[in-house]
Amino acid sequence: MIEILFILSLVVVSALLAVTSRNIVFAVIALLTTNISLGVAYFMMGAPTVALFQLAIFAGAVVVFFVITVMLTTGGDVEFDDDSVPWINKTTQLVLAAASVLVLLGVSLTREIAFPYLEYASSALETLMFSPTNYDDITTAVSQFLWQHRGFDLVSQSFVVLAAVICCIALLKIRRDHE
Amino acid sequence: MHSLAKDKEGPRVMYPITFFIVTTALLFVFGLVALTIKRDLVRLLIGIEILFNAANLFFVALSTQHVGMIDPLPQSIVMMALVLDGTVIAVGLALALNVFKHYKTFDIRKLRRLKW
Amino acid sequence: MVGQAMIQTGLQLPLPLLISLIGAMATPFIGILSERTGMKLKEAWFVLVSAASLGGVYQLYNMVKAAPDGVLLLYSWGQAPPLSGCLEIDMLGVYMSFSIAFLGLLVSIYSISYMEHETRVAEFYTLVTFMIAGMFGIAFAGDLFTLFVFWELMGLSSYVLVSFLKQNWGPIEAGFKYLLMSATAGAFLLLSMALLYGLTGTLNFGMLANSIRGNPLTPWTVLLFSTLIVGFGVKSAIVPMHTWLPDAHPEAPSPISALLSGVVIETGLYGLTRLLFVVFEPSVFKLPIAALAVLTMTVGNLLALLQGDLKRMLAYSSIAQIGYMLVGLSAGTVYGAQGLFLHVFNHSMMKGLAFLAAGSLIHIGNTRNIEDLKGIGRAMPLTTMGLFVSFMGLGGVPATSGFISKFMLFSSAIEVGMTWLTVIGVLNSALSMAYYLRVIKTLISDPIDSMKGLKEAPKLMVAVTVVMTLVVILFGVWPEPAVSFAESAAEALVNGFNAYIGAIIG
């Protein structure tokens, strides 16, 4: 119980730092921390494949994109520091972080928010819910499900990735005739 | 993988949904506040990423709500959603790079020409 | 062989979707080929793909009509829904795809001439085709996540198309704003998906309708309702979430403005309509949607009145038109939905025409400011005539198609006892005529010096506007085909519900 709360506090604090840090490089590193700790949280919650994707795509590829963008442009120079919110400094960041951890721990440990899980489920509901004995079971079941049942979405999704590639080409292509 | 399989605690743990609801709510608040007060293109995209993370966390949390049971449906959906969100961020960063190439800044305030 | 079996049992895709996806994939290669050979291969391919998808829609129409319950269920690799992703096509899906394909074909012909002097044209055509494919997918989807995948396909292509003319600051900022707001909405859509899954254990529309519909409201379902409104509302420019639209539409190239305003925001509205009907009873969403309708049309019309930029004014007018369509949704009856979808088609024609005609004027006059375009109408009579007809239609003047759908929308509100909504709607319509007539008056008054000696737009662009003008008038004086098509679509949405659910649960 305590370990997931620790990870979730880490997620919340690093997300807070990611949006408040004045220096963009710190912000990106905080985002990386958020994504990695979320990956760990997914693993602990019993979703190893999602954790893998989280680490590979959000903590890997996306953060690399962020780093490339920042380093190719401002390079994290103090000149480009964000001062749009004047009252944010080290002290207020600390206060905010402490406050959000307090909220997280306080609400989690004292209250119980009931979610009506599957309360409205239809009588005809089919589900492939199963009881795993180890992580291998989950990995197998999820990847099987993904290929067998979600093949349609998987194929459509590859078109989205293709469209994104074309988008980036259209945006970043350099043509001599008008540059 | 096999060393994990021996771990008795392993995947059978169910954490109360309250933890994840509170975390999701906090992350959504951070993301939305960042989107409204920040004026730097890269930081705005960081806010978007935090919003995506929040929604995914809630989805995964729901997949484990039956004690000792796992539902593959939300997990496989979150896996695909991760890829889709990644493409959105990538295109957003390409746009931001384009802005910087022409104007040498990420700050929208210095560049705002469009009326609201 | 597993692979062989997979291909044989197959990934069933409906023809329009298949054609536009394959067409989009092939476009970059054809672009390279046409650069090498110096022929206009990519233009021909682009128009061919658009025309073929329109043909595919016709074939789909016949298939859906012949299907026993009027519902066509397509899924992959022999795995039946509800667990798997699927397409579930009913008459409403066919209707939406027809609107999309028809405007898509006209816009593709127009953009050949419009984009002639731009670079990266092959990428432009690819992205337009992907955007259209995404919209087809949304219209056909039978599962919320399948819808979301195509939603992202449409979204990604449209962000980049808005900022396509990247040399200028305007398009880039508009595109970025659009991306930010839509991505936020995407996060809300994911959250609503999580909530729906948590409450019902499924994301399939048929199963959802079978489970959650008709239950009393709880805080969680209210949260679900609001996430759905935010998730779909941003793309369909419902008022508190509309701020991207007046930037994105004017800055985009004119063919893209026509597509965005003509079908993309309506596809968002389609998603909202489908989901609300699937998840809630009409009595639940009646009042909130009516409130949004009033807000949307009033704000849209008032702000349109203040604009000096022709395309920006048209963009605000699109927001107002979304408000009129929401009236039909809030009525929640077959008649209301019929008015909604008839107006979707009519609006796609009228606003498409308005943006294309305005695009021609701007192309020739080289400014978007209405005052600076003073008198250009004398040099470009056909284009200005098209703009005039579309404005009459948008204002709801009889003998144009806009009159019929607006009439249906407003009378559907009376039918369910919301006379106040009708009164506000009619007042708004009258208000909107003020800015339409102001533009026409400026365009046809004595030309200022810079507008003298101009010629009519290129032939292809004029031809498209003339065709669309004729369509708007044709469906104004002879509305039966469109009305009955819209009626069967609305029937499928509201009354064909059991067939829709039955196809999944069987």
Side-chain angles (χ1 to χ4, degrees), chain A residues 113-122 124-129 145 147-153 155-157 159-160 162-164 166-167 169-173 175 177-179, chain C residues 11-13 21 25 28 76-77 79 82-85 87 119-120 123 126-127 130 143 145-146 149-150 153 156 160 166-167 195 197-201 207 210-211 215 218 220 505:
Chain A
I113 304 173
F115 185 81
Y117 184 59
L118 296 190
E119 192 169 291
Y120 299 102
S122 130
L125 177 71
E126 286 174 44
T127 161
L128 288 182
M129 232 183 254
F145 185 88
W147 279 105
Q148 275 184 357
H149 292 276
R150 289 282 155 177
F152 203 99
D153 303 330
V155 172
S156 324
Q157 183 205 284
F159 282 101
V160 179
L162 183 63
I166 306 261
C167 285
I169 293 177
L171 282 174
L172 298 178
K173 199 172 184 176
R175 290 296 284 263
D177 37 65
H178 73 76
E179 292 289 334
Chain C
L11 189 66
Q12 301 167 327
L13 279 178
L21 284 178
M25 269 207 306
S76 64
W77 302 333
Q79 295 289 337
L83 279 170
S84 58
L87 298 181
T119 53
R120 300 166 293 143
E123 282 88 345
T126 316
L127 289 176
F130 266 135
D143 182 284
F145 190 73
T146 312
V149 174
F150 286 110
L153 182 59
L156 273 182
V160 176
K166 57 167 185 165
Q167 312 81 296
L195 283 170
Y197 165 76
L199 294 172
T200 66
M207 282 298 277
N210 196 31
S211 46
N215 281 303
T218 64
W220 287 107
I505 295 165

Side-chain angles (χ1 to χ4, degrees), chain C residues 58 108 140 309 371 386 441:
Chain C
Y58 179 69
S108 61
F140 297 152
D309 176 332
E371 290 305 318
K441 182 175 158 285

Side-chain angles (χ1 to χ4, degrees), chain B residues 86-106:
Chain B
T87 57
V88 173
I89 303 273
V91 172
L93 285 173
L95 269 171
L97 266 180
N98 222 331
V99 170
F100 196 86
K101 202 164 79 184
H102 287 283
Y103 298 94
K104 302 286 174 246
T105 176
F106 278 137

Side-chain angles (χ1 to χ4, degrees), chain A residues 70-86:
Chain A
V70 169
M71 287 306 164
L72 275 184
T73 51
T74 61
D77 197 333
V78 272
E79 188 197 331
F80 293 98
D81 272 5
D82 180 47
D83 49 2
S84 57
V85 191

Side-chain angles (χ1 to χ4, degrees), chain B residues 5-96:
Chain B
K6 285 176 201 130
D7 186 359
K8 271 177 288 171
E9 287 280 297
R12 284 182 155 269
V13 177
M14 190 204 76
Y15 301 112
I17 190 78
T18 313
F19 297 2
F20 304 108
I21 291 179
V22 178
T23 315
T24 307
L26 280 174
L27 290 183
F28 252 91
V29 169
F30 292 164
L32 289 177
V33 169
L35 283 175
T36 39
I37 64 175
K38 290 284 171 175
R39 288 291 167 262
D40 175 303
L41 300 183
V42 178
R43 281 188 182 76
L44 289 172
L45 286 172
I46 289 179
I48 294 278
E49 169 120 3
I50 285 171
L51 285 183
F52 284 144
N53 270 332
N56 288 340
L57 176 68
F58 188 45
F59 217 154
V60 174
L62 284 173
S63 80
T64 55
Q65 276 311 294
H66 260 299
V67 183
M69 300 279 263
I70 296 285
D71 193 351
L73 173 76
Q75 297 199 2
S76 50
I77 282 179
V78 169
M79 282 160 70
M80 288 187 278
L82 280 172
V83 177
L84 295 177
D85 301 343
T87 57
V88 173
I89 303 273
V91 172
L93 285 173
L95 269 171

